[in-house]
């Protein structure tokens, strides 16, 4: 089975732990990775790429020291190694200009505001992960029950 990763990035450890807890549903077939900065995430992306692992979903806060989440998501969008990676901006402090940059330049797939509804986060990530898995042609039979049935049916031939 191919290794699939969901990466969560936030400089607040409590927020990271909360997101990981909300996404624990996926932990039996997906690696849940936590990064406390955009730079840490970029290092992890290099490592995952070197190991030929999939980065299915990247969830990032925006306001972080050193490099913003929007800038991180733009970097990922522009990197051909991560074509198809689904990007979710999870923040409470993005301005309208930041959000427009995220949409236009990072081509984010979804935006959620802090404080988020755990069920909405889980369902959103389930849909994004399902789309990634199908678009990449990954074998998902062993964990199909954990994916979003409605999204899977959209891809049915």
């Amino acid at each position: 089975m191919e290794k699939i990763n969901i990466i969560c990035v936030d400089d607040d450890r409590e927020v990271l732990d909360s997101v990981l807890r909300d996404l624990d549903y996926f932990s039996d077939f997906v690696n849940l990775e936590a990064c406390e900065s955009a730079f840490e995430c970029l290092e992890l992306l290099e490592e995952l790429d070197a190991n030929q692992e999939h980065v299915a979903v990247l969830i990032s806060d925006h306001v972080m020291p050193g490099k913003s989440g929007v800038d991180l998501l733009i970097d990922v969008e522009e990197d051909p190694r991560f074509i198809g990676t689904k990007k979710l901006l999870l923040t409470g402090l993005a301005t309208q200009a930041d959000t427009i940059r995220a949409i236009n330049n990072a081509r984010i797939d979804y935006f959620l505001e802090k404080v988020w509804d755990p069920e909405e986060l889980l369902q959103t990530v389930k849909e994004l992960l399902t789309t990634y898995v199908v678009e990449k042609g990954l074998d998902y039979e062993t964990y199909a029950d954990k994916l979003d049935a409605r999204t899977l049916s959209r891809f049915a031939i």
Side-chain angles (χ1 to χ4, degrees), residues 17-118:
D17 290 343
S18 183
V19 172
L20 293 173
R21 208 171 22 258
D22 291 346
L23 299 179
D24 187 61
Y25 171 87
F26 301 109
S27 64
D28 54 344
F29 71 97
V30 170
N31 297 325
L32 296 172
E33 298 282 356
C35 298
E36 294 185 26
S37 72
F39 296 116
E40 184 181 342
C41 179
L42 291 170
E43 289 176 10
L44 177 61
L45 288 168
E46 289 296 329
E47 181 183 320
L48 296 175
D49 178 62
N51 293 332
Q52 298 181 342
E53 295 184 31
H54 291 273
V55 178
V57 181
L58 175 58
I59 301 166
S60 183
D61 182 25
H62 173 54
V63 177
M64 296 184 288
K67 185 182 198 93
S68 76
V70 171
D71 288 333
L72 169 64
L73 294 170
I74 290 170
D75 287 349
V76 171
E77 173 62 23
E78 293 175 346
D79 191 325
R81 298 174 298 171
F82 304 105
I83 290 173
T85 294
K86 305 305 175 195
K87 298 172 292 300
L88 188 156
L89 184 61
L90 177 66
T91 188
L93 297 174
T95 65
Q96 182 179 12
D98 295 328
T99 305
I100 291 169
R101 280 185 63 234
I103 293 167
N104 291 343
N105 300 108
R107 301 203 189 322
I108 61 170
D109 297 282
Y110 212 87
F111 177 94
L112 283 175
E113 275 190 303
K114 291 180 183 173
V115 174
W116 64 93
D117 171 11

Side-chain angles (χ1 to χ4, degrees), residues 89-157:
L89 184 61
L90 177 66
T91 188
L93 297 174
T95 65
Q96 182 179 12
D98 295 328
T99 305
I100 291 169
R101 280 185 63 234
I103 293 167
N104 291 343
N105 300 108
R107 301 203 189 322
I108 61 170
D109 297 282
Y110 212 87
F111 177 94
L112 283 175
E113 275 190 303
K114 291 180 183 173
V115 174
W116 64 93
D117 171 11
E119 289 300 316
E120 182 181 11
L121 176 63
L122 179 62
Q123 182 58 36
T124 299
V125 173
K126 190 185 286 189
E127 291 168 10
L128 294 173
L129 177 61
T130 303
T131 301
Y132 179 88
V133 164
V134 173
E135 287 177 351
K136 291 295 182 180
L138 303 180
D139 180 12
Y140 58 85
E141 278 188 31
T142 59
Y143 53 86
D145 61 319
K146 293 279 195 162
L147 298 176
D148 184 61
R150 190 176 45 188
T151 302
L152 280 174
S153 70
R154 282 195 355 241
F155 290 98
I157 297 176

